[in-house]
Each structure stands twice: as structure tokens, then as C-alpha cells.
Amino acid sequence: MTHLHIFSWVLALALLALVSTFLNSGNLKPAKISHMILRLDYLLILYSGGDLFASYSSYGPAVIIKLLVGIWVIASIEMVAVKKKKGQKVTSWWTQLTISVLLALFLGFVMLPMGILP
């Protein structure tokens, strides 16, 4: 399940890049399609993340914090896409996305049992 989870969040970040690129170029139809696929990818992220949460829930508060940070990442991705589509400033949301992704990577790869450090 870990591979599915990693694949799904890498796909989400790639789709966010596509949505941003299409919106910058003025192609609204490809941006809308990419955004809908991105929203479907959220379901895959939530499913695989929920399964990982259930598997490692005995590891205490670090898993709960990782779950909350993961939801923060999804919310930030969605807000970047929506605000960009509406033509509003997205600088603060990009900052939140960067911080939340780095924190999620740290928690997932360093703090939790499937990470690179024992």
C-alpha cells in the first residue's frame, strides 16, 4: 500500500503542475480535465493513506500528526488550483503547500516506521 500512496501523491503534484500550466496558457478545457483527475486522485490518496493509518495506528501521535499534515497537503493543493483558476493571489497557498509537503515527507520518511531511519 505504501507504493500506491507514494505514486498517488507524486501524481497529484504532477497534475497540479499541469493544471497551473494550462491555466497560465489560457487553455481552460485541459485545465478543467486535469483538475477533475486531480480530484479523483485525492480519493486514491485518502484511501491509501487511511489504510496506512489503520496499519500503523499503534505508533502513537506521530501517525495522527502525519494524517493531519496529509489532509493539509490535499487542502493546499486544492486551494492553489482553485485560487489560480479564479485569478486570485496564490503565493500564500504555495507557501503552505511547500511547508506541508516538506513536513509530510519528513514525518513519512524519517519519523514513521516505514521511513528511512529506524
Side-chain angles (χ1 to χ4, degrees):
M1 192 59 65
T2 303
H3 296 300
L4 175 64
H5 190 63
I6 292 172
F7 171 76
S8 60
W9 56 255
V10 167
L11 179 64
L13 293 175
L15 284 169
L16 177 63
L18 273 178
V19 169
S20 295
T21 302
F22 286 137
L23 286 173
N24 281 341
S25 67
N27 292 335
L28 295 180
K29 186 163 182 143
K32 190 171 190 172
I33 292 169
S34 299
H35 195 189
M36 287 298 136
I37 296 170
L38 178 60
R39 287 179 174 162
L40 284 174
D41 190 43
Y42 297 156
L43 296 175
L44 195 59
I45 292 170
L46 291 171
Y47 168 73
S48 59
D51 188 65
L52 290 171
F53 175 75
S55 299
Y56 298 110
S57 60
S58 63
Y59 284 89
V63 178
I64 296 170
I65 293 169
K66 173 65 170 76
L67 175 77
L68 294 174
V69 170
I71 292 171
W72 180 23
V73 170
I74 292 173
S76 298
I77 289 172
E78 182 64 17
M79 290 307 292
V80 165
V82 168
K83 296 284 186 181
K84 188 136 182 100
K85 185 177 181 181
K86 291 182 177 182
Q88 298 173 352
K89 287 184 74 170
V90 292
T91 308
S92 63
W93 288 105
W94 276 112
T95 305
Q96 282 194 40
L97 178 61
T98 303
I99 292 169
S100 62
V101 165
L102 291 174
L103 189 57
L105 288 172
F106 175 76
L107 288 171
F109 287 125
V110 178
M111 299 294 292
L112 294 177
M114 292 296 290
I116 56 176
L117 298 177

